[in-house]
Amino acid sequence: MIRSFLFTPANHARRVAKAVEGPADAVILDLEDAVAVEEKPAARAAVIEILKQPRRKPLYVRVNALSTPFSFDDLHAVAPAAPDGIILPKVEAASDLLTADWLLGEIESRSGQSCGAIDLVPIIETARGVAAVGTIAGAVARVKRLAFGAVDLALDMDLDLADEVGAMNHPRFAIALASRAAGLEGPLDTAFIAIQDLDGLRVSSGNARKMGYTGKCCIHPAQVEVVNAVFSPSEQDIARARRIVEAFAEAESAGSAAFKLDGVMIDYPVVDKARRLLAGLARGGTNGQAT
């Protein structure tokens, strides 16, 4: 399970190298907001060269939105080089994913890749996208998780981006709910733009994890350590999960399915959650979610 996705401009070789060598679980080579219009052709060429090199971690590419004149060229340039995934911004309808899925399928077929090899991560970051997130989540099998983009949503709806427990929580939860209903992995939370405020990042990440998110975007290497820590179970979490499972086995053998542990009522939903955390660890996960 990928906890941290670190954005880096695709046309800055030193930043890319630093991102790839750092502790982020995955790197997003950005062709959208971080790249000026006149630099986009050169950035595409840079992505192709990066993808030719041996990979130390998953490499995703954020292309431009389908509504722009750049997206088609982005996809045609980088998809044949087999990125691990495509980050598709400003998805507002299931039809956006059907278009991207068809195009990626054609490119995979013609470049010798297996069908569906390239992951597709839609960013929900507009009012229309939030309103349609239920149909977006189940549109194509290539999509394994959604991503929340709060910065563009705040611009679109004139919201207070800093209102973590108010305006931002409704779309954040809507995306988590749609993800679960569609059987997707936990979604990817929005980037935290106050780069030096690591305490604020920790709070924001914790808020997202409580809603079922399993990872977060980072826009600076300094954010990665905090994000990785928040989206990983603590030693206390792991120890308690083991105690719950062991105590439940004893109670069940005595004919009981509900009992108290440290003053807390334990029954099947609590035990199932503890088992999920331990199963995630056994499969190589980092946050207790099934991988």
Side-chain angles (χ1 to χ4, degrees), residues 74-279:
D74 288 344
L75 290 168
H76 260 281
V78 305
D84 291 280
I86 294 292
I87 309 292
L88 187 64
K90 298 180 177 62
V91 172
E92 296 187 330
S95 57
D96 292 340
L97 295 183
L98 293 174
T99 298
D101 180 61
W102 176 84
L103 182 55
L104 288 173
E106 289 296 305
I107 294 172
E108 286 168 339
S109 176
R110 298 183 185 195
S111 60
Q113 302 177 58
S114 59
C115 182
I118 301 174
D119 190 15
L120 181 61
V121 182
I123 307 180
I124 310 302
E125 52 187 339
T126 66
R128 291 183 63 186
V130 173
V133 68
T135 56
I136 290 170
V140 298
R142 189 187 299 272
V143 172
K144 304 299 189 298
R145 74 194 308 183
L146 305 178
F148 175 38
V151 177
D152 279 280
L153 181 65
L155 174 64
D156 185 38
M157 296 187 64
D158 196 21
L159 301 176
D160 181 0
L161 183 61
D163 188 6
E164 281 277 341
V165 296
M168 286 301 135
N169 263 1
H170 172 74
R172 181 180 272 124
F173 184 73
I175 292 167
L177 181 63
S179 296
R180 183 59 181 166
L184 303 182
E185 297 175 4
L188 178 63
D189 195 38
T190 186
F192 189 77
I193 63 173
I195 294 172
Q196 296 182 335
D197 184 7
L198 297 183
D199 289 334
L201 172 65
R202 186 172 290 105
V203 171
S204 177
S205 300
N207 182 38
R209 186 181 177 188
K210 290 174 184 177
M211 287 192 178
Y213 283 69
T214 55
K216 190 174 180 67
C217 290
C218 302
I219 54 175
H220 192 278
Q223 297 179 322
V224 172
E225 183 178 352
V226 171
V227 168
N228 283 348
V230 171
F231 287 98
S232 299
S234 67
E235 292 299 324
Q236 292 83 357
D237 293 335
I238 297 169
R240 179 163 177 78
R242 287 176 175 152
R243 287 189 64 215
I244 289 172
V245 171
E246 291 168 0
F248 182 77
E250 294 179 7
E252 193 174 39
S253 66
S256 177
F259 61 97
K260 286 184 180 180
L261 180 66
D262 300 331
V264 177
M265 182 59 68
I266 306 296
D267 56 8
Y268 280 110
V270 178
V271 175
D272 288 344
K273 186 172 183 179
R275 287 172 173 163
R276 182 186 297 179
L277 187 153
L278 297 176

